[in-house]
Amino acid sequence: MPRSSLGRLGPFILAAGVSAVLACSRDASSGHASNAPPPVPIPDGGVAAPPELDGYVQKLVERCESITDDTTTEASLHEARAAHDRGETDIALSTKGCVRLFVGKSGGVETFSAVMSAPFGMRIDPTTFEVKRTAAMITWSTGANGTREVRGDLDADGFAELQESVVPNVSLVAERVEPSGGVIERTTAKVGADGLRVEITEESEEDGKLAVSAKYDGARVSRKCTSDPPPGSEPPPSTPPKPAPPFPPPPHEVPCTSEQLRQLESLLEKATAGGADCMQATGMQDIRFRMLRQVATTSFDFKCTDDDSFVAANDGGYGNVFVGRALIWINPILFTAGEAEQTATLYHELMHFFFVHDHDIEALADGTPSLGYADRVYACEQLCFAKKPNTCHLAACKKKKICEVDKYGFEQKLGKEIDSCWSGHQVGALCRKGPGERQWCTTKTECDAACGGQECESKSISCDENCR
Ligand SMILES: [Zn+2]
């Protein structure tokens, strides 16, 4: 089950990654220090939020602040997609209409959109001292040159802690910032020369300074291979297929039947409704909003293939870097598991709008339970759709350590119990010595030895320093 290779970057969300063979940025550079990407300021360019947004938010909060039983469902998402298709600009995403999509157009073209929901809060206007109500919100604005600015205030305190700038087909820089201006996390994705590869650098704060936490290649096309274990099954298949190449040739297309297309649209809504609730329960509200917007506003292009090397693939949606691409491939011959598994697979593909796989990890950890803990997409898929996920999946999905996640909080929010995980915290470590010299090791110590103490990345989610 090589899940193969290519992922996409998500906006800052991106997580896990994978690196494609080529990627190895470390191979290409001799020194980390000099290789560290310069801080990229995100210009406040793009299109400003339309003035009517403020009044819209005030009214929404007033109407919705006492509503506690609102939820997004397959039916509410189906209706939202139809409303967007009809050209509507004020769209309910949930049953009570308190999760909403606001669309701004200029000359008939969509230049602005916002997804918002509870929690609600307030801020004081610094010039008028007026108290304004706020909602958790992400906004997307597109400038005339196609660049896109994304801002997110997920805790409704009036400050956009999420800032992202996308130059289509070129780059994406996503940051989490503090009101003081400090940057806590940054993900940078650069499109490679062949347009298929993305180089991803993830930085997080350590001792008050940003340090590179991962650097890898991902691919524009993410394929999910055939032998994915059914959700709920922990043991890997005994004979994993060979890892797929990171940049495979386009698959052979066969026509999808209209019944298959209808079914895929329905699975998409099911995967989004379940996935959005799950993301909210993990606290990854940003992913929830991005997923809701992606599905509400996108006309998906489904294609079928008889290529038996993969079951499903997302071609090109990553992080809005590849504009206008929402192509999902399905192999109907392999896509035959029960509806629960199919929904999980669709959710996996949807996650590729936000995260890419690190190809090295995908290829090397494949066939071991470690993959579900070392790769964010697989971890979230298991967490949200497996029958028996565990706290390790929760940690890996959030890209946190096991002691940093709130198992009970997650269970309470989602109304589903997950197992504790008593083993598997170590996950493994990857030595990226050189292209073709990658090695997946059981522990950091083993990895350091294999790697000569260099270029060894531990994927441990243990909080015990002795378990790396
Ligand atoms: Zn994948």
Side-chain angles (χ1 to χ4, degrees):
M1 43 186 161
R3 306 83 181 327
S4 54
S5 30
L6 333 144
R8 333 187 127 157
L9 338 160
F12 59 21
I13 319 185
L14 299 178
V18 179
S19 329
V21 173
L22 319 160
C24 291
S25 33
R26 296 188 178 183
D27 305 315
S29 66
S30 46
H32 289 181
S34 61
N35 198 35
V40 181
I42 298 183
D44 250 336
V47 175
E52 65 267 29
L53 182 68
D54 184 52
Y56 182 91
V57 172
Q58 304 307 310
K59 275 197 204 122
L60 177 81
V61 178
E62 216 168 274
R63 182 173 70 78
C64 289
E65 62 188 340
S66 59
I67 295 179
T68 54
D69 59 344
D70 196 19
T71 176
T72 49
T73 62
E74 291 168 66
S76 72
L77 290 170
H78 187 78
E79 178 45 40
R81 296 178 74 203
H84 186 267
D85 272 358
R86 292 191 297 267
E88 291 177 23
T89 55
D90 175 18
I91 299 171
L93 297 169
S94 57
T95 51
K96 299 279 167 77
C98 294
V99 185
R100 292 199 87 81
L101 170 68
F102 173 99
V103 176
K105 294 186 181 182
S106 171
V109 178
E110 212 160 291
T111 53
F112 181 88
S113 61
V115 172
M116 63 200 79
S117 83
F120 304 124
M122 58 181 64
R123 71 183 164 85
I124 298 173
D125 187 302
T127 47
T128 63
F129 300 104
E130 198 184 344
V131 174
K132 295 280 195 175
R133 300 308 309 270
T134 55
M137 186 185 321
I138 300 189
T139 64
W140 290 260
S141 53
T142 308
N145 58 0
T147 59
R148 175 166 282 177
E149 296 294 326
V150 183
R151 296 290 180 270
D153 173 13
L154 284 319
D155 53 5
D157 66 352
F159 174 74
E161 69 277 1
L162 182 170
Q163 305 194 352
E164 178 182 308
S165 195
V166 181
V167 181
N169 300 315
V170 176
S171 65
L172 169 153
V173 179
E175 294 181 334
R176 281 207 190 255
V177 298
E178 292 177 311
S180 62
V183 179
I184 305 163
E185 276 176 26
R186 180 187 297 132
T187 297
T188 307
K190 284 190 234 161
V191 177
D194 57 14
L196 283 174
R197 189 181 337 143
V198 283
E199 305 168 16
I200 298 178
T201 306
E202 294 168 8
E203 296 163 278
S204 51
E205 193 184 42
E206 244 175 57
D207 304 329
K209 281 196 273 185
L210 271 191
V212 173
S213 56
K215 196 159 184 177
Y216 53 88
D217 273 6
R220 199 195 68 200
V221 185
S222 296
R223 291 186 176 185
K224 182 180 174 184
C225 298
T226 54
S227 50
D228 192 37
S233 72
E234 187 61 38
S238 50
T239 54
K242 277 205 227 129
F247 308 110
H252 177 248
E253 186 179 354
V254 296
C256 302
T257 65
S258 52
E259 172 55 21
Q260 282 163 347
L261 291 172
R262 193 203 54 75
Q263 188 209 4
L264 287 166
E265 291 284 344
S266 153
L267 285 169
L268 188 72
E269 287 155 8
K270 196 182 277 281
T272 307
D277 285 352
C278 179
M279 289 297 99
Q280 183 170 33
T282 64
M284 293 159 71
Q285 182 86 283
D286 52 329
I287 304 290
R288 171 181 176 238
F289 281 8
R290 286 172 193 274
M291 188 174 284
L292 290 173
R293 175 182 170 277
Q294 186 76 49
V295 171
T297 63
T298 306
S299 170
F300 282 81
D301 191 6
F302 286 109
K303 287 191 176 179
C304 291
T305 179
D306 56 3
D307 182 330
D308 63 6
S309 68
F310 69 102
V311 63
N314 181 335
D315 181 343
Y318 175 69
N320 288 316
V321 176
F322 303 108
V323 229
R325 293 189 76 96
L327 171 58
I328 308 270
W329 287 91
I330 295 289
N331 180 334
I333 302 161
L334 301 173
F335 194 63
T336 51
E339 189 178 79
E341 287 78 12
Q342 292 177 337
T343 307
T345 293
L346 254 286
Y347 171 75
H348 178 117
E349 298 312 327
L350 281 175
M351 287 295 276
H352 282 308
F353 284 102
F354 322 115
F355 303 105
V356 287
H357 297 300
D358 178 330
H359 179 66
D360 287 335
I361 290 176
E362 198 179 34
L364 295 168
D366 197 18
T368 77
S370 294
L371 183 60
Y373 300 144
D375 179 285
R376 208 165 178 180
V377 174
Y378 285 100
C380 293
E381 180 189 348
Q382 288 283 310
L383 176 71
C384 298
F385 289 95
K387 287 199 186 73
K388 275 286 173 187
N390 61 46
T391 320
C392 284
H393 292 121
L394 175 60
C397 175
K398 289 176 64 96
K399 217 184 171 198
K400 299 274 187 201
K401 302 286 185 207
I402 194 91
C403 57
E404 297 170 331
V405 296
D406 177 3
K407 173 181 188 280
Y408 299 105
F410 174 78
E411 290 177 330
Q412 212 168 24
K413 286 182 194 133
L414 198 58
K416 160 175 154 176
E417 288 193 359
I418 59 175
D419 288 341
S420 295
C421 64
W422 302 109
S423 59
H425 299 195
Q426 282 176 273
V427 181
L430 178 70
C431 165
R432 294 192 208 264
K433 215 169 179 177
E437 289 183 90
R438 309 314 201 196
Q439 194 177 336
W440 180 250
C441 303
T442 311
T443 62
K444 176 81 160 48
T445 311
E446 189 188 303
C447 186
D448 282 340
C451 246
Q454 301 266 313
E455 315 297 352
C456 181
E457 255 175 56
S458 171
K459 293 294 164 187
S460 173
I461 50 176
S462 171
C463 301
D464 182 344
E465 283 300 325
N466 296 315
C467 295
R468 291 282 175 273

